[in-house]
């Protein structure tokens, strides 16, 4: 078929340039869509981060934190999905533009050149600029995987472009040759076998995430039933107040990933190394055979807005991180503990935080194995510091002497990240219409491991404050329920809350965005009293 096209330069039929470019664009978009399909198949089979994810994370990390935070604020929970959607649309457009260029000389040689060109530009230039290393050498799956998979997906694009263009051109001008059906079917089969083959081969061998009995229980991942939790004790059992222990189904989840890693406990390993006398590697059975300890910990995302719901409280069971590090013979002169994870996430805490007697390496949450979204098979709970430092899907702990900066810190988020003192009004709900008279107000307050000393409510725009009853926390690392019984009349337009932490420091009144150190300000609920 190509000979026909090539021999045919002069007298043979040719599409007008305008038409050719337009068809080229269309063919390019279609080819990019086929490539996205191949990416999705490869992603699902191998479990390894794909090109759009590597690009998204690279862009995210390199974006100025304030800008990122502003985008996040305006898009809220849809931000991640929209971001990936934008990347997918961007890929379709770039695919279309390349298709236009291809249309100037639509031969398979030119398609090959494009494939190699894309492979080098992405694998060498773009991946390096985004911090993923040449052909992904800085990522956990390594350059062999990323090199091969990039070549494969660009190959799929090239093939799809060549066939689609020939087909479109033939439809527009029947004198132009289409590629033969036999060759099309052969190429489609080769592309499919290569994609499915590479993905499955990776999963079955090097990837080590073989589907099997120890996979994260789907019953749980699908949001199944969880053990019944005790109701809040009176007087903190107001209708609408947060349950003191959050059901796993209702516990917020945040990660940088479009698709969270599905780690198979069978192939999972945790290494402890760096400034330690006895570096060690533990598998899942060895880890869960260590002396267990459990406790209640509240987690809050540093992106949580005032009044937001990115916090929850659960009972976690695991091993003391301090104990584990002592077994490894941690050096007292270590500066930080660096945590790595199966999703290529990294973060660090000061060694003193890792050696906090309450720091926990957990494998259970509310009496069940961790769910995939909460970090199965193992994750950290570090007292007093925001959620981002509580690394999920943990694979490595390394004690280092330098000031390592993690995933979000490279973007400008606070590295120390101590919890701000926060309080939230759960009841009444905003915009409730209430009748004048007695009113019970309630909610939660949290200040990391500093505890909450007191909570106050104001009905008069902060001129006066009334003390609330505060329940002791389930541990020194949890939020605390509070309740205030007040009286309202039609002069009350809003309710405000503020807490004082265990050190006697009042919650910060000044409003601040979550970026870079966590939101501050007082939660305010508008009410109408009739
Ligand atoms: N490996 C890994 N750990 C991670 C994250 C991540 O993206 N990857 N996100 C962090 C952030 S930003 C938060 S707020 C908490 C959320 O924990 P949860 O989803 O169990 O509530 O996990 C942290 N641990
Ligand atoms: Mo977070």
């Amino acid at each position: 078929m190509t000979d026909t096209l090539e021999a045919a330069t002069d007298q043979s039929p040719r599409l007008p340039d305008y038409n050719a470019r337009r068809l080229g664009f269309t063919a390019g978009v279609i080819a990019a869509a086929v490539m996205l399909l191949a990416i999705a198949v490869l992603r699902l089979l191998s479990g390894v981060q794909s090109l759009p994810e590597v690009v998204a994370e690279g862009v995210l990390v390199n974006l100025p934190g304030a800008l990122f935070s502003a985008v996040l604020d305006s898009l809220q929970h849809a931000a991640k999905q929209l971001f990936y959607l934008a990347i997918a649309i961007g890929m379709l457009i770039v695919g279309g533009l390349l298709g236009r260029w291809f249309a100037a000389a639509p031969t398979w040689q030119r398609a090959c050149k494009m494939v190699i060109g894309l492979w080098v530009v992405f694998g060498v230039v773009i991946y390096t600029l985004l911090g993923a290393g040449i052909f992904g050498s800085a990522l956990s799956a390594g350059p062999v995987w990323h090199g091969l998979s990039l070549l494969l997906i660009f190959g799929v694009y090239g093939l799809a472009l060549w066939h689609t263009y020939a087909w479109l051109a033939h439809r527009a001008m029947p004198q132009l040759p289409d590629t033969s059906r036999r060759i099309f079917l052969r190429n489609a089969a080769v592309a499919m076998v290569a994609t499915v083959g590479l993905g499955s081969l990776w999963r079955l061998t090097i990837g080590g995430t073989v589907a099997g009995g120890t996979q994260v229980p789907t019953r749980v991942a699908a949001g199944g039933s969880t053990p019944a939790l005790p109701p809040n004790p009176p007087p903190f059992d107001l209708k609408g107040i947060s349950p003191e222990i959050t059901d796993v189904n209702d516990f917020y989840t945040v990660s940088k990933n479009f698709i969270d890693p599905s780690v198979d406990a069978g192939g999972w390993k945790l290494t402890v190394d760096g400034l330690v006398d006895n570096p060690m590697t533990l598998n899942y059975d060895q880890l869960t055979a260590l002396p267990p300890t459990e406790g209640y910990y509240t987690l809050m995302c540093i992106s949580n807005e005032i009044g937001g719901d990115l916090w929850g409280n659960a009972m976690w069971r695991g091993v003391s991180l301090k104990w584990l590090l002592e077994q490894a013979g941690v050096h007292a002169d270590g500066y930080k503990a660096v945590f790595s994870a199966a999703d290529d996430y990294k973060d660090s805490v000061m060694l003193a935080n890792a050696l906090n007697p309450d720091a926990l390496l957990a494998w259970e949450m509310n009496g069940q194995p961790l769910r995939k979204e909460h970090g199965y098979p193992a994750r950290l709970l570090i007292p007093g510091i925001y959620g981002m430092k509580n690394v999920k899907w943990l694979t490595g702990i390394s004690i280092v002497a330098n000031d390592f900066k993690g995933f979000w810190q490279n973007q400008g988020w606070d590295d120390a990240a101590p919890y701000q003192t926060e309080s939230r009004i759960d009841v009444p709900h905003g915009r409730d219409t209430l009748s004048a008279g007695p009113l019970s107000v309630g909610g939660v307050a949290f200040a990391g491991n500093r505890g909450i000393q007191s909570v106050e409510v104001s009905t008069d725009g902060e001129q006066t404050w009334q003390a609330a009853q505060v329940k002791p926390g389930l541990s020194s690392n949890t939020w605390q329920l509070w309740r205030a019984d007040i009286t309202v009349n039609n002069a009350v337009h809003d309710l405000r809350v503020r807490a004082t932490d265990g050190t006697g420091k009042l919650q910060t009144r000044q409003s601040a965005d979550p970026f870079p150190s966590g939101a501050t300000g007082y939660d305010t609920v508008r009410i109408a009293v009739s």
Side-chain angles (χ1 to χ4, degrees):
M1 41 5 329
T2 48
D3 335 65
T4 356
L5 268 181
E6 260 143 40
T9 34
D10 283 327
Q11 327 98 312
S12 68
R14 243 179 91 94
L15 283 168
D17 280 351
Y18 165 74
N19 241 340
R21 284 200 300 266
R22 199 169 47 86
L23 289 190
F25 187 83
T26 310
V29 171
I30 294 174
V34 174
M35 178 179 79
L36 282 173
L37 190 72
I39 289 175
V41 170
L42 215 52
R43 174 64 169 97
L44 290 175
L45 288 175
S46 71
V48 184
Q49 280 190 334
S50 61
L51 168 79
E53 291 164 275
V54 172
V55 172
E57 275 164 27
V59 171
L60 212 67
V61 171
N62 290 297
L63 217 59
L67 175 65
F68 171 72
S69 181
V71 173
L72 203 77
D73 279 355
S74 50
L75 302 175
Q76 294 290 325
H77 293 307
K80 204 156 69 178
Q81 274 67 20
L82 285 176
F83 192 51
Y84 282 101
L85 187 68
I87 287 189
I89 292 174
M91 286 171 71
L92 293 178
I93 294 175
V94 171
L97 293 175
L98 289 172
R100 249 176 86 104
W101 177 77
F102 171 76
T107 62
W108 65 268
Q109 288 92 333
R110 182 171 260 218
C112 279
K113 274 187 218 151
M114 285 175 61
V115 171
I116 301 296
L118 282 169
W119 188 56
V120 171
V121 166
F122 273 88
V124 178
V125 184
I126 297 186
Y127 269 36
T128 308
L129 285 178
L130 292 176
I134 290 188
F135 291 114
S137 57
L139 303 173
S140 57
V144 173
W145 166 264
H146 287 283
L148 278 177
S149 60
L150 282 180
L151 189 59
L152 178 70
I153 61 165
F154 292 136
V156 167
Y157 171 78
L159 266 182
L161 177 62
W162 180 60
H163 281 290
T164 314
Y165 184 82
W167 172 66
L168 287 176
H170 175 73
R171 274 186 22 157
M173 198 180 229
Q175 303 93 303
L176 286 174
D178 193 355
T179 52
S180 81
R181 171 172 296 255
R182 190 175 54 82
I183 290 174
F184 169 73
L185 289 178
R186 184 201 65 193
N187 286 346
V190 167
M192 269 188 300
V193 169
T195 309
V196 172
L198 184 65
S200 337
L201 200 69
W202 185 267
R203 161 146 302 208
L204 290 168
T205 57
I206 310 137
T209 48
V210 190
T214 38
Q215 271 282 344
V216 56
T218 43
R219 159 182 65 86
V220 167
S225 62
T226 48
L229 297 168
N232 288 352
F236 302 99
D237 51 352
L238 289 173
K239 188 173 180 294
I241 199 172
S242 300
E244 189 168 24
I245 307 168
T246 312
D247 189 294
V248 179
N249 289 321
D250 302 328
F251 204 101
Y252 86 93
T253 100
V254 168
S255 82
K256 67 169 179 60
N257 311 309
F258 187 50
I259 307 174
D260 286 335
S262 301
V263 181
D264 168 47
W268 176 86
K269 279 187 181 54
L270 173 71
T271 55
V272 183
D273 59 16
L275 300 173
V276 295
D277 290 332
N278 336 302
M280 49 189 190
T281 304
L282 296 167
N283 63 29
Y284 187 70
D285 291 339
Q286 291 166 326
L287 175 75
T288 51
L290 297 178
T293 138
E294 57 188 25
Y296 289 97
Y297 295 78
T298 293
L299 268 185
M300 183 193 277
C301 182
I302 196 165
S303 299
N304 190 44
E305 305 275 336
I306 295 300
D309 53 13
L310 297 180
W311 43 336
N313 183 45
M315 214 261 278
W316 309 82
R317 184 180 171 86
V319 66
S320 155
L321 182 61
K322 176 173 196 271
W323 182 87
L324 185 69
L325 290 175
E326 281 167 359
Q327 301 305 302
V330 59
H331 296 187
D333 60 349
Y335 184 65
K336 275 187 154 184
V338 175
F339 306 122
S340 323
D343 58 345
D344 277 311
Y345 183 85
K346 278 192 165 64
D347 207 340
S348 66
V349 298
M350 298 303 289
L351 186 54
N353 287 103
L355 295 178
N356 181 314
D358 281 352
L360 188 71
L361 170 47
W363 55 79
E364 262 183 43
M365 178 181 188
N366 285 353
Q368 294 192 314
L370 282 179
R371 286 197 186 168
K372 168 178 159 171
E373 61 270 32
H374 293 297
Y376 182 86
R379 65 106 36 95
L380 289 165
L381 292 150
I382 311 281
I385 46 183
Y386 274 110
M388 63 181 166
K389 301 266 164 189
N390 295 252
V391 175
K392 304 192 273 191
W393 310 291
L394 189 71
T395 55
I397 304 174
S398 194
I399 308 302
V400 301
N402 64 312
D403 191 13
F404 177 90
K405 292 284 169 26
F407 184 85
W408 297 108
Q409 287 65 41
N410 285 318
Q411 244 192 274
W413 291 86
D414 193 356
D415 189 35
Y419 281 118
Q420 305 277 359
T421 302
E422 308 279 0
S423 50
R424 183 181 69 196
I425 300 172
D426 292 338
V427 272
H429 286 293
R431 280 170 254 102
D432 275 0
T433 305
L434 307 161
S435 30
L439 175 71
S440 297
V441 188
V444 282
F446 182 50
N449 53 357
R450 301 189 301 280
I452 295 294
Q453 199 168 79
S454 61
V455 173
E456 299 157 290
V457 174
S458 175
T459 55
D460 54 9
E462 300 182 30
Q463 288 170 46
T464 60
W465 291 91
Q466 307 175 49
Q469 285 174 271
V470 182
K471 185 184 178 300
L474 288 171
S475 80
S476 52
N477 294 300
T478 61
W479 64 14
Q480 289 172 236
L481 298 167
W482 60 267
R483 170 188 180 143
D485 294 286
I486 61 173
T487 320
V488 291
N489 56 36
N490 60 10
V492 177
H493 303 297
D494 66 44
L495 303 171
R496 299 180 195 193
V497 65
R498 69 179 189 187
T500 299
D501 74 10
T503 70
K505 192 166 177 288
L506 187 63
Q507 181 176 343
T508 306
R509 179 173 184 280
Q510 177 68 41
S511 298
D513 286 338
F515 182 80
S517 302
T520 58
Y522 295 162
D523 188 23
T524 303
V525 166
R526 299 190 149 279
I527 55 169
V529 181
S530 57

